[in-house]
Amino acid sequence: MDKDTKPTIIYIMGYGRSGSTLLDIILGNNPKIESLGEVAFYYNKYMDQDNLCSCSKSLSNCQFWSQVNMKHAIYVFPLKPWDLYSFICKVENILSLPLLIFNLLPFRTVEGYRKHMQGFFRAVMETSGRKVLIDSSKSTRTKIGRPVAMKKICGFDIKIIHLVRDGRGIMFSRLKGKNQLLEKGMNDDKWAGPYFATISWLITNLTSLLVEFLYFRGKTLRVNYEDIVSNYKQEIQRISRFIGVNLDNVIETIEQNMELKVGHNVGGNRIRLEKKVTLKKDFEWQDKLPYHYQIFFLIFIWPLSKLFRFCNSNSINADKKNTL
Ligand SMILES: [Zn+2]
């Protein structure tokens, strides 16, 4: 892949419910950046008419994604969406991570993944007219290897934002129900959900640290959700220096309390379907999270959770200016 057809991908790594959709939308308000959302699930969601793009159309009727499909089919013909989704599942899941690290994945799988992913992201670049793309597919067990595979197999330029939110905020968010069910007007109020979510949050963030250590030292910026909503100017400036794109226009939009535009975002939090997105602080858990959940967090999780604040991006030189 030559320089002109190779995207720069800002990959938002970490656990769900950490504000990744909001951060994705914030960054996508710069004219050089395209916000894509949880794009790893695109071909899975494409088949289901109930899954909407953030422009409110189903993915198969969205103009942006229809254009992407047409261009993708030029590079990969015949285009079979399930083929790409199948390669993604085989390469990016947690069980394949050791095979990916030690180059033990089958040749056919690796070549299929490379061909499809290069074609897909080239089609996204051409459709959007932008070279910097935000992928907030995060680090669930099915996607933990995604940034590694995109770097090793596809040769993309990857910069990682490891987004971390206070685990008690995660617990409270999980208490409301699963995002996918809430989006369809359903709810699941299982009392144990927050416990499992917090353990999963810890494992996901520790695995993310491992991925950073092995492949993205010097190319990772750790960002806390609480800092983004409390001190957005400083945090966006820090991200701006890290990704090498001037984000002053985004800061101005928020300062003037103007709405953030939402592009053609796939998957993620329900805010992507709102017509008007503004930056709001969400610390509701401090008043409303039941005590038994807070005690569980403080005893079992809090000592390890401090790790994510302590190792706050020492590995990157955030002051280095490298504006695109
Ligand atoms: Zn759309």
Side-chain angles (χ1 to χ4, degrees), residues 11-18 20 94 97 136-145 147 160-165 170 196-212 222 301 304 307-308:
Y11 194 85
I12 301 180
M13 187 169 75
Y15 190 70
R17 302 170 186 276
S18 300
S20 61
I94 195 163
L97 189 59
S136 55
S137 301
K138 299 181 285 295
S139 312
T140 57
R141 66 180 185 282
T142 58
K143 295 289 160 280
I144 186 69
I160 303 277
I161 294 178
H162 181 186
L163 183 63
V164 184
R165 183 179 185 182
I170 301 284
F196 290 120
T198 318
I199 293 165
S200 178
W201 167 86
L202 185 65
I203 293 169
T204 301
N205 281 309
L206 288 173
T207 317
S208 298
L209 287 182
L210 176 69
V211 167
E212 175 193 340
R222 196 139 17 259
I301 308 292
L304 274 170
L307 176 72
F308 304 120

Side-chain angles (χ1 to χ4, degrees), residues 185-198:
M186 300 154 73
N187 200 357
D188 66 332
D189 52 356
K190 293 197 175 108
W191 65 271
Y195 291 120
F196 290 120
T198 318

Side-chain angles (χ1 to χ4, degrees), residues 53 55 62 264:
C53 175
C55 67
C62 162
H264 297 277

Side-chain angles (χ1 to χ4, degrees), residues 12-126:
I12 301 180
M13 187 169 75
Y15 190 70
R17 302 170 186 276
S18 300
S20 61
T21 306
L22 179 64
L23 180 58
D24 197 320
I25 290 170
I26 288 173
L27 299 180
N29 272 258
N30 183 278
K32 289 182 178 170
I33 301 175
E34 188 66 35
S35 155
L36 302 175
E38 292 180 353
V39 71
F41 298 96
Y42 170 66
Y43 280 113
N44 181 28
K45 291 179 182 288
Y46 180 79
M47 303 295 173
D48 183 351
Q49 288 290 320
D50 288 345
N51 284 311
L52 300 178
C53 175
S54 51
C55 67
S56 301
K57 294 191 174 155
S58 68
L59 289 171
S60 51
N61 288 323
C62 162
Q63 207 172 2
F64 176 86
W65 289 111
S66 299
Q67 285 279 322
V68 170
N69 282 346
M70 278 170 53
K71 291 178 192 292
H72 189 184
I74 294 171
Y75 304 119
V76 184
F77 183 81
L79 177 63
K80 296 177 186 165
W82 275 110
D83 277 357
L84 175 54
Y85 193 63
S86 161
F87 286 125
I88 286 175
C89 293
K90 283 178 194 164
V91 171
E92 296 177 352
N93 76 80
I94 195 163
L95 295 176
S96 297
L97 189 59
L99 302 177
L100 184 60
I101 291 171
F102 294 107
N103 301 318
L104 295 173
L105 284 167
F107 178 77
R108 186 182 165 277
T109 303
V110 170
E111 284 307 302
Y113 183 87
R114 187 199 325 273
K115 186 176 76 168
H116 270 292
M117 290 289 278
Q118 288 183 343
F120 177 77
F121 278 99
R122 188 171 177 181
V124 171
M125 275 173 63
E126 288 176 2

